[in-house]
Amino acid sequence: MMNPHNSPPSRGRRRLLGRLAAGGLVASQAATASELLKPLAVAQSSRVPGAPVLEHPYGVPSPYEANVVRRSARAWPLPGAASSMTPLADLHGTLTPNGLVYERHHGGVPDIDPGQHRLAIHGLVRTPKLFTMDDLLRLPSESRIHFLECSGNTGNEWNGPSGMPVQLTHGLLSCCEWTGVRLSTLLEEVGGLTASGNTAGGGWLLAEGADAAAMTRSLPLERILDRALVVYAQNGERLRPENGYPLRLIVPGFEGNTNVKWLRRLKVVDAPLQTREETSKYTSLLANGTARQFAFEMDAKSVITRPSPGHRLTTHGYYPITGLAWSGRGTIRKVEVSTDGGATWRPARLDGAILDRALTRFQADWRWDGGAAVILSRATDSTGYVQPTRAELVAARGLNSQYHYNAIQQWRVDASGEVRNA
Amino acid sequence: MMNPHNSPPSRGRRRLLGRLAAGGLVASQAATASELLKPLAVAQSSRVPGAPVLEHPYGVPSPYEANVVRRSARAWPLPGAASSMTPLADLHGTLTPNGLVYERHHGGVPDIDPGQHRLAIHGLVRTPKLFTMDDLLRLPSESRIHFLECSGNTGNEWNGPSGMPVQLTHGLLSCCEWTGVRLSTLLEEVGGLTASGNTAGGGWLLAEGADAAAMTRSLPLERILDRALVVYAQNGERLRPENGYPLRLIVPGFEGNTNVKWLRRLKVVDAPLQTREETSKYTSLLANGTARQFAFEMDAKSVITRPSPGHRLTTHGYYPITGLAWSGRGTIRKVEVSTDGGATWRPARLDGAILDRALTRFQADWRWDGGAAVILSRATDSTGYVQPTRAELVAARGLNSQYHYNAIQQWRVDASGEVRNA
């Protein structure tokens, strides 16, 4: 099936760019244009032989990109129960390279020999089984692109603008192509499903990791059976150690911690087991004193990644505003952008394929006139849900929550060109 | 737009898997099943704290995957004018992680400071311009997933089965998400296009690299204007040095060398300039003594990556046959698989999104009965073109060619389970 993001540009799109071009998108290099009528000087890099092939059998980024790395927002007392964040401001497109996928560990990164690793599937099933990695590789596989977001992402904005750059406010967010076996295929293997594909006995699934935290969550089977994968590869290669090597669960759209890493056990049960990570943690205390539990889906959200805090606009003129939008409940239907603090909004272009529960790149044309501006983005997903303002979110959830902060994020552009989270 | 590869499974698909499951996809671990009724032992990896967060600010693969690296088929006399290949047998899904994207250099990998790099666009244009990297980042961008294949890929099979594994026969092949500026946007910036988006003066484009080979190719503008990109990012991050850092051309579907790396110059001209790389190299001598020149598109092709030479089947029973298919002329419409040397064929499943000029993953169910088998795959693209047999290809092109070998590839499975390129 032909995908829209690979189709030729419409004449309309061409005309749009044509009109922009008439004004000149790029600040003129006219002083040097006459030089271009003479032969170009030979590049210094053409005068010397370059580095040989296979200098790095497994390649690494350019030394000029050494600042594009994962970072933590703070020093954690227990570095094995900490997180690091994806440098969203320096990334392009929609995929996250494996070296920059965010980390969140509860007991550090275990060292697991894939030859020794086993996945146990038991509980309310006909034939409990142990699966080796080789067993899993001999099952039909499936690959899909999905985002992962920690439910604590952007939690530092609950009390208003934190002053932090987008890597530290929104960087518990990544997007990869995941490859593995459908959860439903595995449950069929152990007799946990009926012939019609429904759950046979139990309505919930306990997933447990082989890390020092034995990270454990209960998941509602009927809601995830159509899409959950038990995966061994990300972006084409085997999982990275900090992302669950050799095996993890992917529950598209659900908060990050439910995508249990270093997966060693799936138990079919009839009710949630009320584990630590779904009682004292990963629940949200509301204003009325009750707690919101099992809020699995990450609601629709968006953020402008460029320009964003740390960037500085230089010459006046054309700047594209670009960022990411996503929803744990489906696809992104629309992203709107404002450059006047939310007084007026206009639609952004959505770039590339718009995939279910995956990051979507948006872009809007903007001419910076050199004045102060406040830039914002607002996502609407395929269910019709609209990303809320901070005031709307606080009205609904109060200020006790640590999790599921998805309000519209604003960046201030000063007349100096500096961009700030304020 | 909803993408088919993210839709829930059909009941039919479920029933298919259900029927397979009835036979038992996984060799039984029944001896251990009763153990699963007792509490599971605590994993050794749960008894000790794991490695801290940010042990690698830029992540690296698991040490257990140290064999998954690029390799060369032979020792080259000039390592700066050599190639390394993607380990296709060890990869999953459709994307190639940046560290494993194949290399092909004509003068080694140049060291280019992006702050000093310039792209010149001149020739038959109204306003020649120099673009800095910052200029390019201030233009509207676009991201698309496309394969890259060297025209010399699989050339070692022209004389029959080479005995080599798939990494060395088909590994001059990778697939990434590329982000950059449309070539048409840049040509509008310099007045190289008319208001209706057609080329104003010249019909060809000379692209030159800043490497020690000053790698230079002529390209037919009207054929590439709808899709060519000048890119600065692959799979979300900036280009890797060996893949053109900081700037390269992407001409979707065209042979690899036309996707000029370390791009420093685009000149609009009225006819091809007959550079070294399109006369003495990258042309194909036919049987009648004439040469095939400017054979840009990579024709439809497919290959089984698992099982493939180097793999060994162990127990009899279910094995999925999986591999990759692609076409430089559009999308993949169909892949068929044979396990009897081509006597009979059956359709494979196409996994995930089927994107224009991108790798497509296919999969077919197979039960190995322990006998000898010959497994093959055959791709058909959206133009209706069918991947040829080796005999058909040789009849059309003779045996003098080094380039554009796209015949059906067979692997032999011995009764021992060994898989060989024979």
Side-chain angles (χ1 to χ4, degrees), chain A residues 1 3 11 14 45 65 196 210 226 245 354, chain B residues 1 3 11 14 45 65 196 210 226 245 354:
Chain A
M1 175 163 295
N3 191 291
R11 290 281 156 178
R14 278 190 180 166
S45 53
E65 302 297 322
S196 60
D226 273 356
Y245 185 87
I354 299 165
Chain B
M1 177 164 293
N3 191 290
R11 290 281 157 178
R14 277 189 181 167
S45 53
E65 301 297 323
S196 60
D226 273 356
Y245 185 87
I354 299 165

mmCIF file with all atom_site columns, all heavy atoms in Angstrom, chain A residues 1 3 11 14 45 65 196 210 226 245 354, chain B residues 1 3 11 14 45 65 196 210 226 245 354:
data_model
loop_
_atom_site.group_PDB
_atom_site.id
_atom_site.type_symbol
_atom_site.label_atom_id
_atom_site.label_alt_id
_atom_site.label_comp_id
_atom_site.label_asym_id
_atom_site.label_entity_id
_atom_site.label_seq_id
_atom_site.pdbx_PDB_ins_code
_atom_site.Cartn_x
_atom_site.Cartn_y
_atom_site.Cartn_z
_atom_site.occupancy
_atom_site.B_iso_or_equiv
_atom_site.pdbx_formal_charge
_atom_site.auth_seq_id
_atom_site.auth_comp_id
_atom_site.auth_asym_id
_atom_site.auth_atom_id
_atom_site.pdbx_PDB_model_num
ATOM 1   N N   . MET A 1 1   ? 0.846   -1.204  0.000   1.00 0.00 ? 1   MET A N   1
ATOM 2   C CA  . MET A 1 1   ? 0.000   0.000   0.000   1.00 0.00 ? 1   MET A CA  1
ATOM 3   C C   . MET A 1 1   ? 0.878   1.250   0.000   1.00 0.00 ? 1   MET A C   1
ATOM 4   O O   . MET A 1 1   ? 1.835   1.346   0.742   1.00 0.00 ? 1   MET A O   1
ATOM 5   C CB  . MET A 1 1   ? -0.893  -0.007  1.234   1.00 0.00 ? 1   MET A CB  1
ATOM 6   C CG  . MET A 1 1   ? -1.719  1.260   1.366   1.00 0.00 ? 1   MET A CG  1
ATOM 7   S SD  . MET A 1 1   ? -3.083  1.045   2.503   1.00 0.00 ? 1   MET A SD  1
ATOM 8   C CE  . MET A 1 1   ? -4.069  -0.167  1.632   1.00 0.00 ? 1   MET A CE  1
ATOM 9   N N   . ASN A 1 3   ? 2.115   4.829   0.750   1.00 0.00 ? 3   ASN A N   1
ATOM 10  C CA  . ASN A 1 3   ? 2.003   5.653   1.940   1.00 0.00 ? 3   ASN A CA  1
ATOM 11  C C   . ASN A 1 3   ? 2.058   7.127   1.560   1.00 0.00 ? 3   ASN A C   1
ATOM 12  O O   . ASN A 1 3   ? 2.883   7.520   0.753   1.00 0.00 ? 3   ASN A O   1
ATOM 13  C CB  . ASN A 1 3   ? 3.132   5.314   2.883   1.00 0.00 ? 3   ASN A CB  1
ATOM 14  C CG  . ASN A 1 3   ? 2.892   5.951   4.225   1.00 0.00 ? 3   ASN A CG  1
ATOM 15  O OD1 . ASN A 1 3   ? 2.961   7.165   4.323   1.00 0.00 ? 3   ASN A OD1 1
ATOM 16  N ND2 . ASN A 1 3   ? 2.571   5.146   5.207   1.00 0.00 ? 3   ASN A ND2 1
ATOM 17  N N   . ARG A 1 11  ? 1.074   20.370  -6.316  1.00 0.00 ? 11  ARG A N   1
ATOM 18  C CA  . ARG A 1 11  ? 1.354   21.678  -6.919  1.00 0.00 ? 11  ARG A CA  1
ATOM 19  C C   . ARG A 1 11  ? 1.115   22.778  -5.890  1.00 0.00 ? 11  ARG A C   1
ATOM 20  O O   . ARG A 1 11  ? 1.798   23.768  -5.851  1.00 0.00 ? 11  ARG A O   1
ATOM 21  C CB  . ARG A 1 11  ? 0.472   21.905  -8.145  1.00 0.00 ? 11  ARG A CB  1
ATOM 22  C CG  . ARG A 1 11  ? 0.842   21.030  -9.326  1.00 0.00 ? 11  ARG A CG  1
ATOM 23  C CD  . ARG A 1 11  ? 2.055   21.562  -10.074 1.00 0.00 ? 11  ARG A CD  1
ATOM 24  N NE  . ARG A 1 11  ? 2.717   20.487  -10.782 1.00 0.00 ? 11  ARG A NE  1
ATOM 25  C CZ  . ARG A 1 11  ? 3.785   20.653  -11.558 1.00 0.00 ? 11  ARG A CZ  1
ATOM 26  N NH1 . ARG A 1 11  ? 4.349   21.840  -11.689 1.00 0.00 ? 11  ARG A NH1 1
ATOM 27  N NH2 . ARG A 1 11  ? 4.338   19.632  -12.163 1.00 0.00 ? 11  ARG A NH2 1
ATOM 28  N N   . ARG A 1 14  ? 3.982   23.104  -3.732  1.00 0.00 ? 14  ARG A N   1
ATOM 29  C CA  . ARG A 1 14  ? 5.036   23.791  -4.473  1.00 0.00 ? 14  ARG A CA  1
ATOM 30  C C   . ARG A 1 14  ? 4.806   25.279  -4.532  1.00 0.00 ? 14  ARG A C   1
ATOM 31  O O   . ARG A 1 14  ? 5.710   26.065  -4.400  1.00 0.00 ? 14  ARG A O   1
ATOM 32  C CB  . ARG A 1 14  ? 5.095   23.252  -5.902  1.00 0.00 ? 14  ARG A CB  1
ATOM 33  C CG  . ARG A 1 14  ? 5.874   21.982  -6.031  1.00 0.00 ? 14  ARG A CG  1
ATOM 34  C CD  . ARG A 1 14  ? 6.063   21.715  -7.498  1.00 0.00 ? 14  ARG A CD  1
ATOM 35  N NE  . ARG A 1 14  ? 6.812   20.500  -7.698  1.00 0.00 ? 14  ARG A NE  1
ATOM 36  C CZ  . ARG A 1 14  ? 6.895   19.888  -8.859  1.00 0.00 ? 14  ARG A CZ  1
ATOM 37  N NH1 . ARG A 1 14  ? 6.265   20.390  -9.907  1.00 0.00 ? 14  ARG A NH1 1
ATOM 38  N NH2 . ARG A 1 14  ? 7.604   18.796  -8.980  1.00 0.00 ? 14  ARG A NH2 1
ATOM 39  N N   . SER A 1 45  ? 39.136  19.276  2.530   1.00 0.00 ? 45  SER A N   1
ATOM 40  C CA  . SER A 1 45  ? 38.884  17.846  2.747   1.00 0.00 ? 45  SER A CA  1
ATOM 41  C C   . SER A 1 45  ? 39.062  17.028  1.476   1.00 0.00 ? 45  SER A C   1
ATOM 42  O O   . SER A 1 45  ? 39.132  15.794  1.533   1.00 0.00 ? 45  SER A O   1
ATOM 43  C CB  . SER A 1 45  ? 37.474  17.646  3.310   1.00 0.00 ? 45  SER A CB  1
ATOM 44  O OG  . SER A 1 45  ? 36.518  18.289  2.492   1.00 0.00 ? 45  SER A OG  1
ATOM 45  N N   . GLU A 1 65  ? 29.289  16.310  17.016  1.00 0.00 ? 65  GLU A N   1
ATOM 46  C CA  . GLU A 1 65  ? 27.955  16.150  17.622  1.00 0.00 ? 65  GLU A CA  1
ATOM 47  C C   . GLU A 1 65  ? 28.046  15.626  19.059  1.00 0.00 ? 65  GLU A C   1
ATOM 48  O O   . GLU A 1 65  ? 27.087  15.057  19.591  1.00 0.00 ? 65  GLU A O   1
ATOM 49  C CB  . GLU A 1 65  ? 27.098  15.202  16.774  1.00 0.00 ? 65  GLU A CB  1
ATOM 50  C CG  . GLU A 1 65  ? 26.908  15.652  15.330  1.00 0.00 ? 65  GLU A CG  1
ATOM 51  C CD  . GLU A 1 65  ? 26.164  16.979  15.213  1.00 0.00 ? 65  GLU A CD  1
ATOM 52  O OE1 . GLU A 1 65  ? 25.238  17.199  16.000  1.00 0.00 ? 65  GLU A OE1 1
ATOM 53  O OE2 . GLU A 1 65  ? 26.529  17.792  14.337  1.00 0.00 ? 65  GLU A OE2 1
ATOM 54  N N   . SER A 1 196 ? -11.562 -18.027 19.305  1.00 0.00 ? 196 SER A N   1
ATOM 55  C CA  . SER A 1 196 ? -11.943 -16.771 18.654  1.00 0.00 ? 196 SER A CA  1
ATOM 56  C C   . SER A 1 196 ? -10.990 -15.641 19.033  1.00 0.00 ? 196 SER A C   1
ATOM 57  O O   . SER A 1 196 ? -11.197 -14.496 18.632  1.00 0.00 ? 196 SER A O   1
ATOM 58  C CB  . SER A 1 196 ? -13.371 -16.402 19.034  1.00 0.00 ? 196 SER A CB  1
ATOM 59  O OG  . SER A 1 196 ? -13.463 -16.249 20.441  1.00 0.00 ? 196 SER A OG  1
ATOM 60  N N   . ALA A 1 210 ? 13.427  -8.878  35.016  1.00 0.00 ? 210 ALA A N   1
ATOM 61  C CA  . ALA A 1 210 ? 14.512  -9.612  35.689  1.00 0.00 ? 210 ALA A CA  1
ATOM 62  C C   . ALA A 1 210 ? 15.564  -8.653  36.230  1.00 0.00 ? 210 ALA A C   1
ATOM 63  O O   . ALA A 1 210 ? 16.718  -9.025  36.392  1.00 0.00 ? 210 ALA A O   1
ATOM 64  C CB  . ALA A 1 210 ? 15.134  -10.617 34.724  1.00 0.00 ? 210 ALA A CB  1
ATOM 65  N N   . ASP A 1 226 ? -4.823  -6.636  21.190  1.00 0.00 ? 226 ASP A N   1
ATOM 66  C CA  . ASP A 1 226 ? -4.746  -6.346  19.758  1.00 0.00 ? 226 ASP A CA  1
ATOM 67  C C   . ASP A 1 226 ? -3.420  -5.724  19.347  1.00 0.00 ? 226 ASP A C   1
ATOM 68  O O   . ASP A 1 226 ? -3.141  -5.624  18.147  1.00 0.00 ? 226 ASP A O   1
ATOM 69  C CB  . ASP A 1 226 ? -5.864  -5.377  19.350  1.00 0.00 ? 226 ASP A CB  1
ATOM 70  C CG  . ASP A 1 226 ? -7.137  -6.116  19.007  1.00 0.00 ? 226 ASP A CG  1
ATOM 71  O OD1 . ASP A 1 226 ? -7.108  -7.358  19.009  1.00 0.00 ? 226 ASP A OD1 1
ATOM 72  O OD2 . ASP A 1 226 ? -8.144  -5.443  18.747  1.00 0.00 ? 226 ASP A OD2 1
ATOM 73  N N   . TYR A 1 245 ? 17.271  -5.345  27.062  1.00 0.00 ? 245 TYR A N   1
ATOM 74  C CA  . TYR A 1 245 ? 17.937  -6.515  26.486  1.00 0.00 ? 245 TYR A CA  1
ATOM 75  C C   . TYR A 1 245 ? 17.902  -7.695  27.445  1.00 0.00 ? 245 TYR A C   1
ATOM 76  O O   . TYR A 1 245 ? 18.241  -7.533  28.604  1.00 0.00 ? 245 TYR A O   1
ATOM 77  C CB  . TYR A 1 245 ? 19.401  -6.176  26.174  1.00 0.00 ? 245 TYR A CB  1
ATOM 78  C CG  . TYR A 1 245 ? 20.166  -7.268  25.455  1.00 0.00 ? 245 TYR A CG  1
ATOM 79  C CD1 . TYR A 1 245 ? 20.141  -7.357  24.076  1.00 0.00 ? 245 TYR A CD1 1
ATOM 80  C CD2 . TYR A 1 245 ? 20.921  -8.202  26.172  1.00 0.00 ? 245 TYR A CD2 1
ATOM 81  C CE1 . TYR A 1 245 ? 20.851  -8.349  23.411  1.00 0.00 ? 245 TYR A CE1 1
ATOM 82  C CE2 . TYR A 1 245 ? 21.626  -9.195  25.514  1.00 0.00 ? 245 TYR A CE2 1
ATOM 83  C CZ  . TYR A 1 245 ? 21.596  -9.258  24.137  1.00 0.00 ? 245 TYR A CZ  1
ATOM 84  O OH  . TYR A 1 245 ? 22.288  -10.234 23.475  1.00 0.00 ? 245 TYR A OH  1
ATOM 85  N N   . ILE A 1 354 ? 1.687   9.360   9.298   1.00 0.00 ? 354 ILE A N   1
ATOM 86  C CA  . ILE A 1 354 ? 1.062   9.639   10.592  1.00 0.00 ? 354 ILE A CA  1
ATOM 87  C C   . ILE A 1 354 ? 0.621   8.301   11.156  1.00 0.00 ? 354 ILE A C   1
ATOM 88  O O   . ILE A 1 354 ? -0.405  7.751   10.772  1.00 0.00 ? 354 ILE A O   1
ATOM 89  C CB  . ILE A 1 354 ? -0.098  10.628  10.418  1.00 0.00 ? 354 ILE A CB  1
ATOM 90  C CG1 . ILE A 1 354 ? 0.475   11.935  9.836   1.00 0.00 ? 354 ILE A CG1 1
ATOM 91  C CG2 . ILE A 1 354 ? -0.790  10.881  11.744  1.00 0.00 ? 354 ILE A CG2 1
ATOM 92  C CD1 . ILE A 1 354 ? -0.577  12.853  9.294   1.00 0.00 ? 354 ILE A CD1 1
ATOM 93  N N   . MET B 1 1   ? -3.328  10.376  8.760   1.00 0.00 ? 1   MET B N   1
ATOM 94  C CA  . MET B 1 1   ? -3.930  9.203   8.082   1.00 0.00 ? 1   MET B CA  1
ATOM 95  C C   . MET B 1 1   ? -3.505  7.911   8.785   1.00 0.00 ? 1   MET B C   1
ATOM 96  O O   . MET B 1 1   ? -2.345  7.718   9.097   1.00 0.00 ? 1   MET B O   1
ATOM 97  C CB  . MET B 1 1   ? -3.473  9.162   6.623   1.00 0.00 ? 1   MET B CB  1
ATOM 98  C CG  . MET B 1 1   ? -3.995  7.936   5.892   1.00 0.00 ? 1   MET B CG  1
ATOM 99  S SD  . MET B 1 1   ? -3.864  8.104   4.108   1.00 0.00 ? 1   MET B SD  1
ATOM 100 C CE  . MET B 1 1   ? -5.046  9.417   3.822   1.00 0.00 ? 1   MET B CE  1
ATOM 101 N N   . ASN B 1 3   ? -2.378  4.292   9.371   1.00 0.00 ? 3   ASN B N   1
ATOM 102 C CA  . ASN B 1 3   ? -1.510  3.435   8.574   1.00 0.00 ? 3   ASN B CA  1
ATOM 103 C C   . ASN B 1 3   ? -1.850  1.976   8.814   1.00 0.00 ? 3   ASN B C   1
ATOM 104 O O   . ASN B 1 3   ? -2.061  1.571   9.947   1.00 0.00 ? 3   ASN B O   1
ATOM 105 C CB  . ASN B 1 3   ? -0.066  3.713   8.951   1.00 0.00 ? 3   ASN B CB  1
ATOM 106 C CG  . ASN B 1 3   ? 0.845   3.060   7.965   1.00 0.00 ? 3   ASN B CG  1
ATOM 107 O OD1 . ASN B 1 3   ? 0.938   1.852   7.935   1.00 0.00 ? 3   ASN B OD1 1
ATOM 108 N ND2 . ASN B 1 3   ? 1.473   3.858   7.135   1.00 0.00 ? 3   ASN B ND2 1
ATOM 109 N N   . ARG B 1 11  ? -9.421  -11.021 12.303  1.00 0.00 ? 11  ARG B N   1
ATOM 110 C CA  . ARG B 1 11  ? -9.805  -12.324 12.860  1.00 0.00 ? 11  ARG B CA  1
ATOM 111 C C   . ARG B 1 11  ? -9.165  -13.435 12.031  1.00 0.00 ? 11  ARG B C   1
ATOM 112 O O   . ARG B 1 11  ? -8.760  -14.454 12.551  1.00 0.00 ? 11  ARG B O   1
ATOM 113 C CB  . ARG B 1 11  ? -11.323 -12.478 12.866  1.00 0.00 ? 11  ARG B CB  1
ATOM 114 C CG  . ARG B 1 11  ? -12.012 -11.593 13.869  1.00 0.00 ? 11  ARG B CG  1
ATOM 115 C CD  . ARG B 1 11  ? -11.923 -12.174 15.285  1.00 0.00 ? 11  ARG B CD  1
ATOM 116 N NE  . ARG B 1 11  ? -12.083 -11.103 16.271  1.00 0.00 ? 11  ARG B NE  1
ATOM 117 C CZ  . ARG B 1 11  ? -12.091 -11.300 17.578  1.00 0.00 ? 11  ARG B CZ  1
ATOM 118 N NH1 . ARG B 1 11  ? -11.917 -12.520 18.081  1.00 0.00 ? 11  ARG B NH1 1
ATOM 119 N NH2 . ARG B 1 11  ? -12.215 -10.296 18.403  1.00 0.00 ? 11  ARG B NH2 1
ATOM 120 N N   . ARG B 1 14  ? -5.723  -13.917 13.130  1.00 0.00 ? 14  ARG B N   1
ATOM 121 C CA  . ARG B 1 14  ? -5.750  -14.635 14.406  1.00 0.00 ? 14  ARG B CA  1
ATOM 122 C C   . ARG B 1 14  ? -6.005  -16.119 14.202  1.00 0.00 ? 14  ARG B C   1
ATOM 123 O O   . ARG B 1 14  ? -5.417  -16.956 14.854  1.00 0.00 ? 14  ARG B O   1
ATOM 124 C CB  . ARG B 1 14  ? -6.842  -14.069 15.303  1.00 0.00 ? 14  ARG B CB  1
ATOM 125 C CG  . ARG B 1 14  ? -6.410  -12.849 16.049  1.00 0.00 ? 14  ARG B CG  1
ATOM 126 C CD  . ARG B 1 14  ? -7.485  -12.537 17.057  1.00 0.00 ? 14  ARG B CD  1
ATOM 127 N NE  . ARG B 1 14  ? -7.164  -11.343 17.811  1.00 0.00 ? 14  ARG B NE  1
ATOM 128 C CZ  . ARG B 1 14  ? -8.030  -10.717 18.571  1.00 0.00 ? 14  ARG B CZ  1
ATOM 129 N NH1 . ARG B 1 14  ? -9.255  -11.165 18.672  1.00 0.00 ? 14  ARG B NH1 1
ATOM 130 N NH2 . ARG B 1 14  ? -7.675  -9.655  19.237  1.00 0.00 ? 14  ARG B NH2 1
ATOM 131 N N   . SER B 1 45  ? 19.993  -11.904 38.049  1.00 0.00 ? 45  SER B N   1
ATOM 132 C CA  . SER B 1 45  ? 20.094  -10.469 37.747  1.00 0.00 ? 45  SER B CA  1
ATOM 133 C C   . SER B 1 45  ? 19.211  -9.625  38.662  1.00 0.00 ? 45  SER B C   1
ATOM 134 O O   . SER B 1 45  ? 19.352  -8.400  38.694  1.00 0.00 ? 45  SER B O   1
ATOM 135 C CB  . SER B 1 45  ? 19.744  -10.206 36.278  1.00 0.00 ? 45  SER B CB  1
ATOM 136 O OG  . SER B 1 45  ? 18.487  -10.785 35.961  1.00 0.00 ? 45  SER B OG  1
ATOM 137 N N   . GLU B 1 65  ? 26.143  -8.837  21.662  1.00 0.00 ? 65  GLU B N   1
ATOM 138 C CA  . GLU B 1 65  ? 25.872  -8.631  20.228  1.00 0.00 ? 65  GLU B CA  1
ATOM 139 C C   . GLU B 1 65  ? 27.117  -8.150  19.484  1.00 0.00 ? 65  GLU B C   1
ATOM 140 O O   . GLU B 1 65  ? 27.012  -7.541  18.405  1.00 0.00 ? 65  GLU B O   1
ATOM 141 C CB  . GLU B 1 65  ? 24.727  -7.626  20.055  1.00 0.00 ? 65  GLU B CB  1
ATOM 142 C CG  . GLU B 1 65  ? 23.418  -8.036  20.720  1.00 0.00 ? 65  GLU B CG  1
ATOM 143 C CD  . GLU B 1 65  ? 22.823  -9.310  20.151  1.00 0.00 ? 65  GLU B CD  1
ATOM 144 O OE1 . GLU B 1 65  ? 22.931  -9.515  18.937  1.00 0.00 ? 65  GLU B OE1 1
ATOM 145 O OE2 . GLU B 1 65  ? 22.280  -10.122 20.946  1.00 0.00 ? 65  GLU B OE2 1
ATOM 146 N N   . SER B 1 196 ? 5.819   27.365  -11.891 1.00 0.00 ? 196 SER B N   1
ATOM 147 C CA  . SER B 1 196 ? 5.015   26.138  -11.855 1.00 0.00 ? 196 SER B CA  1
ATOM 148 C C   . SER B 1 196 ? 5.833   24.952  -11.355 1.00 0.00 ? 196 SER B C   1
ATOM 149 O O   . SER B 1 196 ? 5.344   23.828  -11.319 1.00 0.00 ? 196 SER B O   1
ATOM 150 C CB  . SER B 1 196 ? 4.465   25.833  -13.246 1.00 0.00 ? 196 SER B CB  1
ATOM 151 O OG  . SER B 1 196 ? 5.525   25.649  -14.161 1.00 0.00 ? 196 SER B OG  1
ATOM 152 N N   . ALA B 1 210 ? 32.704  16.648  -1.101  1.00 0.00 ? 210 ALA B N   1
ATOM 153 C CA  . ALA B 1 210 ? 33.915  17.307  -0.594  1.00 0.00 ? 210 ALA B CA  1
ATOM 154 C C   . ALA B 1 210 ? 34.909  16.279  -0.083  1.00 0.00 ? 210 ALA B C   1
ATOM 155 O O   . ALA B 1 210 ? 35.749  16.589  0.766   1.00 0.00 ? 210 ALA B O   1
ATOM 156 C CB  . ALA B 1 210 ? 33.548  18.296  0.510   1.00 0.00 ? 210 ALA B CB  1
ATOM 157 N N   . ASP B 1 226 ? 10.726  15.622  -7.848  1.00 0.00 ? 226 ASP B N   1
ATOM 158 C CA  . ASP B 1 226 ? 9.605   15.357  -6.952  1.00 0.00 ? 226 ASP B CA  1
ATOM 159 C C   . ASP B 1 226 ? 10.019  14.674  -5.657  1.00 0.00 ? 226 ASP B C   1
ATOM 160 O O   . ASP B 1 226 ? 9.208   14.597  -4.728  1.00 0.00 ? 226 ASP B O   1
ATOM 161 C CB  . ASP B 1 226 ? 8.570   14.455  -7.646  1.00 0.00 ? 226 ASP B CB  1
ATOM 162 C CG  . ASP B 1 226 ? 7.573   15.269  -8.444  1.00 0.00 ? 226 ASP B CG  1
ATOM 163 O OD1 . ASP B 1 226 ? 7.650   16.504  -8.384  1.00 0.00 ? 226 ASP B OD1 1
ATOM 164 O OD2 . ASP B 1 226 ? 6.736   14.656  -9.126  1.00 0.00 ? 226 ASP B OD2 1
ATOM 165 N N   . TYR B 1 245 ? 28.322  13.121  6.582   1.00 0.00 ? 245 TYR B N   1
ATOM 166 C CA  . TYR B 1 245 ? 28.306  14.267  7.492   1.00 0.00 ? 245 TYR B CA  1
ATOM 167 C C   . TYR B 1 245 ? 29.117  15.429  6.933   1.00 0.00 ? 245 TYR B C   1
ATOM 168 O O   . TYR B 1 245 ? 30.253  15.209  6.531   1.00 0.00 ? 245 TYR B O   1
ATOM 169 C CB  . TYR B 1 245 ? 28.882  13.858  8.853   1.00 0.00 ? 245 TYR B CB  1
ATOM 170 C CG  . TYR B 1 245 ? 28.800  14.922  9.924   1.00 0.00 ? 245 TYR B CG  1
ATOM 171 C CD1 . TYR B 1 245 ? 27.667  15.048  10.713  1.00 0.00 ? 245 TYR B CD1 1
ATOM 172 C CD2 . TYR B 1 245 ? 29.869  15.799  10.150  1.00 0.00 ? 245 TYR B CD2 1
ATOM 173 C CE1 . TYR B 1 245 ? 27.589  16.016  11.703  1.00 0.00 ? 245 TYR B CE1 1
ATOM 174 C CE2 . TYR B 1 245 ? 29.786  16.771  11.129  1.00 0.00 ? 245 TYR B CE2 1
ATOM 175 C CZ  . TYR B 1 245 ? 28.645  16.871  11.903  1.00 0.00 ? 245 TYR B CZ  1
ATOM 176 O OH  . TYR B 1 245 ? 28.565  17.831  12.873  1.00 0.00 ? 245 TYR B OH  1
ATOM 177 N N   . ILE B 1 354 ? 4.138   -0.375  3.979   1.00 0.00 ? 354 ILE B N   1
ATOM 178 C CA  . ILE B 1 354 ? 4.815   -0.661  2.709   1.00 0.00 ? 354 ILE B CA  1
ATOM 179 C C   . ILE B 1 354 ? 5.071   0.682   2.054   1.00 0.00 ? 354 ILE B C   1
ATOM 180 O O   . ILE B 1 354 ? 4.191   1.283   1.447   1.00 0.00 ? 354 ILE B O   1
ATOM 181 C CB  . ILE B 1 354 ? 3.947   -1.590  1.850   1.00 0.00 ? 354 ILE B CB  1
ATOM 182 C CG1 . ILE B 1 354 ? 3.751   -2.903  2.617   1.00 0.00 ? 354 ILE B CG1 1
ATOM 183 C CG2 . ILE B 1 354 ? 4.605   -1.844  0.500   1.00 0.00 ? 354 ILE B CG2 1
ATOM 184 C CD1 . ILE B 1 354 ? 2.650   -3.759  2.075   1.00 0.00 ? 354 ILE B CD1 1
#
